[in-house]
């Protein structure tokens, strides 16, 4: 979604993949309904826009032609709300920081790692994450993708900036900056700059974060997850800097736009997402086939090269030339990245922080 600061309107937007949202009104109606009767022979997959592409699960489609039906969510908070309200896919694709929340609501069933053929190829830093272990060799989420959140800026319009998140608070660029409309992005950065632990804060500390966000609000063009519009605005020069994910940097550099994906001294944000199986999944065997297909090395290679995101698989990184990884600013071992970034984990005050963020965006 996008919140336009000039009109105050909410607009549907582009999601984490960096591709255009292809879900129309029918898909949104499907996601909102709690009484949808799914076709029993198709896997129902609930995901971000751009992650439904067949390139990610070729072996699944070879074995099960037309065997998956994807529904698109705005972000994983939106996904949680819809599933909690009664929408029941077989598999969903939230990020790690939300898994405990889904599990607390009793929405998930554990996934048996003995049925995951490439489980041993997943980097230990991801498969051993807290809150994922379900006991007896089972997990609540199979990690699949990871990436970074940072400032993407025009190097010809922002000359030699300090490598800091403070750029998005720089008054000289007022009206020509945008930030991500998600509680686990912009408020996290505001907390870092306010000297507050983003993942566990007191009410007094939350007030400090709110004040930092209020300082930023009049300087922004908008809050958004519509990365297509952000990329277009950066390419035209309408925006000079924006908080984005890796895919936007990859896309604009391929177009020859002079941009740089900053390495802030406070640290980039690093996120990891993956597949969860819903408690009432009706196509469990298909779900395992789908996850295994997504864990093919070729799938991870496509994720890395097309979007600039990291695969959870060491075997996928082994297929990408070192020079390409350097160009994408992706180390072949994510633990190297995590030594200098902020890993986005569960936020203890998520709901309160979300309410505060909405209030600030609305001018409160």
């Amino acid at each position: 979604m996008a919140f336009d600061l000039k009109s105050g309107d909410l607009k549907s937007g582009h999601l984490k993949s960096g591709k255009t949202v292809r879900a129309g009104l029918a898909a949104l109606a499907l996601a909102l309904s709690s009484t949808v009767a799914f076709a029993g022979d198709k896997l129902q997959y609930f995901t971000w826009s751009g992650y439904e592409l067949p390139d990610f699960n070729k072996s699944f489609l070879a074995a099960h032609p037309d065997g998956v039906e994807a529904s698109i969510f705005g972000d994983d908070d939106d996904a949680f709300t819809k599933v909690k309200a009664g929408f029941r896919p077989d598999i969903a694709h939230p990020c790690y920081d939300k898994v405990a929340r889904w599990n607390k609501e009793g929405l998930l069933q554990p996934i048996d790692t003995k049925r995951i053929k490439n489980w041993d190829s997943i980097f230990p830093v991801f498969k051993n994450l807290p809150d994922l272990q379900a006991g007896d060799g089972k997990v609540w989420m199979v990690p699949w993708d990871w990436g970074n959140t940072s400032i993407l800026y025009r190097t010809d319009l922002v000359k030699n900036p300090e490598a800091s998140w403070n750029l998005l608070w720089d008054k000289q660029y007022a009206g020509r900056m945008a930030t991500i409309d998600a509680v686990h992005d912009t408020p996290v950065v505001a907390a870092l700059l306010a000297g507050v632990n983003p993942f566990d804060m007191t009410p007094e500390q939350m007030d400090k974060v709110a004040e930092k966000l209020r300082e930023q609000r009049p300087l922004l063009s908008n809050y958004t997850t519509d990365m297509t519009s952000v990329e277009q605005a950066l390419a035209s020069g309408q925006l000079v800097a924006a908080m984005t994910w890796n895919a936007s940097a990859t896309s604009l550099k391929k177009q020859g736009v002079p941009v740089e994906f900053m390495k802030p001294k406070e640290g980039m944000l690093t996120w990891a997402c993956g597949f969860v199986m819903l408690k009432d999944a009706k196509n469990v065997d298909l779900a395992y086939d789908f996850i295994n297909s997504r864990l093919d090395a070729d799938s991870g290679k496509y994720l890395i090269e097309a979007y600039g995101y990291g695969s959870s698989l060491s075997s996928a990184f082994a297929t990408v030339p070192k020079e390409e990884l350097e160009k994408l600013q992706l180390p072949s071992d994510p633990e190297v990245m995590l030594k200098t970034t902020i890993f986005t984990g569960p936020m203890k005050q998520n709901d309160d922080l979300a309410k505060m963020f909405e209030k600030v965006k609305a001018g409160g």
Side-chain angles (χ1 to χ4, degrees):
M1 302 290 286
F3 188 91
D4 191 297
L5 292 173
K6 294 178 181 176
S7 67
D9 292 337
L10 281 171
K11 303 174 182 178
S12 62
H14 181 283
L15 312 176
K16 182 163 282 189
S17 69
K19 301 293 182 183
T20 303
V21 174
R22 288 181 288 275
L25 293 176
L28 290 175
L30 177 67
L32 287 166
S33 172
S34 62
T35 58
V36 174
F38 287 139
D41 59 346
K42 280 191 178 184
L43 179 77
Q44 302 299 321
Y45 175 41
F46 198 26
T47 189
W48 308 82
S49 176
Y51 282 97
E52 78 282 14
L53 302 183
D55 304 80
F56 291 129
N57 41 262
K58 290 180 178 179
S59 61
F60 176 87
L61 292 174
H64 310 284
D66 197 30
V68 59
E69 184 172 319
S71 302
I72 307 301
F73 53 69
D75 61 25
D76 44 8
D77 284 323
D78 170 50
F80 172 78
T81 299
K82 290 173 180 174
V83 172
K84 187 179 177 182
F87 178 57
R88 289 294 182 268
D90 297 305
I91 287 182
H93 188 175
C95 291
Y96 161 67
D97 59 297
K98 301 297 192 299
V99 172
R101 193 179 183 202
W102 288 54
N103 201 18
K104 184 179 179 181
E105 291 293 329
L107 300 174
L108 307 180
Q109 64 173 289
I111 297 172
D112 188 350
T113 60
K114 292 189 289 293
R115 296 187 64 178
I116 304 301
K117 66 179 183 181
N118 281 334
W119 178 253
D120 289 341
S121 292
I122 296 177
F123 289 106
V125 69
F126 296 128
K127 66 182 180 183
N128 294 329
L129 284 169
D131 297 326
L132 294 196
Q133 308 308 313
D136 194 28
K138 297 179 180 179
V139 294
W140 297 112
M141 183 186 87
V142 175
W144 185 66
D145 57 314
W146 61 275
N148 294 315
T149 302
S150 189
I151 301 172
L152 186 63
Y153 67 94
R154 283 283 298 264
T155 56
D156 56 333
L157 301 176
V158 181
K159 300 290 188 179
N160 303 312
E162 179 188 13
S164 172
W165 283 107
N166 280 309
L167 176 60
L168 294 181
W169 275 258
D170 192 329
K171 293 180 181 179
Q172 68 177 309
Y173 302 116
R176 302 182 71 189
M177 301 182 292
T179 194
I180 295 176
D181 187 8
V183 69
H184 48 266
D185 288 302
T186 299
V188 170
V189 170
L192 292 174
L193 294 177
V196 172
N197 178 354
F199 309 109
D200 188 10
M201 62 184 77
T202 65
E204 293 75 20
Q205 289 172 328
M206 192 172 296
D207 288 342
K208 289 180 65 176
V209 175
E211 186 56 36
K212 194 67 181 174
L213 289 168
R214 290 189 191 99
E215 289 177 18
Q216 184 189 42
R217 185 184 185 278
L219 307 178
L220 298 174
S221 168
N222 63 339
Y223 300 93
T224 185
T225 52
D226 182 357
M227 291 297 117
T228 297
S229 294
V230 168
E231 290 163 20
Q232 291 171 348
L234 283 167
S236 70
Q238 179 183 351
L239 290 178
V240 300
M243 181 189 288
T244 72
W245 301 297
N246 309 55
S248 294
T250 301
S251 175
L252 289 180
K253 286 182 177 181
K254 286 180 179 178
Q255 296 172 42
V257 179
V259 292
E260 186 64 34
F261 198 54
M262 183 185 284
K263 294 182 179 180
K265 62 183 182 182
E266 301 87 2
M268 293 182 182
L269 306 184
T270 297
W271 44 263
C273 308
F275 305 118
V276 297
M277 197 180 304
L278 277 294
K279 184 178 180 180
D280 301 321
K282 293 179 170 51
N283 297 291
V284 171
D285 289 338
L286 281 178
Y288 278 105
D289 287 352
F290 181 84
I291 293 171
N292 281 325
S293 178
R294 289 278 172 136
L295 289 176
D296 286 339
D298 285 349
S299 173
K301 182 176 187 289
Y302 183 78
L303 177 70
I304 293 168
E305 294 183 337
Y307 288 175
Y309 292 143
S311 167
S312 66
L313 297 169
S314 58
S315 56
F317 272 92
T319 66
V320 181
K322 180 181 178 181
E323 297 75 18
E324 181 68 14
L325 293 176
E326 289 176 351
K327 186 165 60 175
L328 295 169
Q329 298 182 354
L330 280 178
S332 57
D333 182 350
E335 292 199 53
V336 174
M337 177 73 73
L338 291 170
K339 289 177 181 177
T340 60
T341 64
I342 308 298
F343 187 69
T344 306
M347 305 173 77
K348 290 187 177 181
Q349 292 79 30
N350 185 90
D351 292 347
D352 290 340
L353 196 58
K355 290 175 185 176
M356 177 271 282
F357 188 36
E358 290 302 315
K359 183 177 178 179
V360 170
K361 288 189 297 180

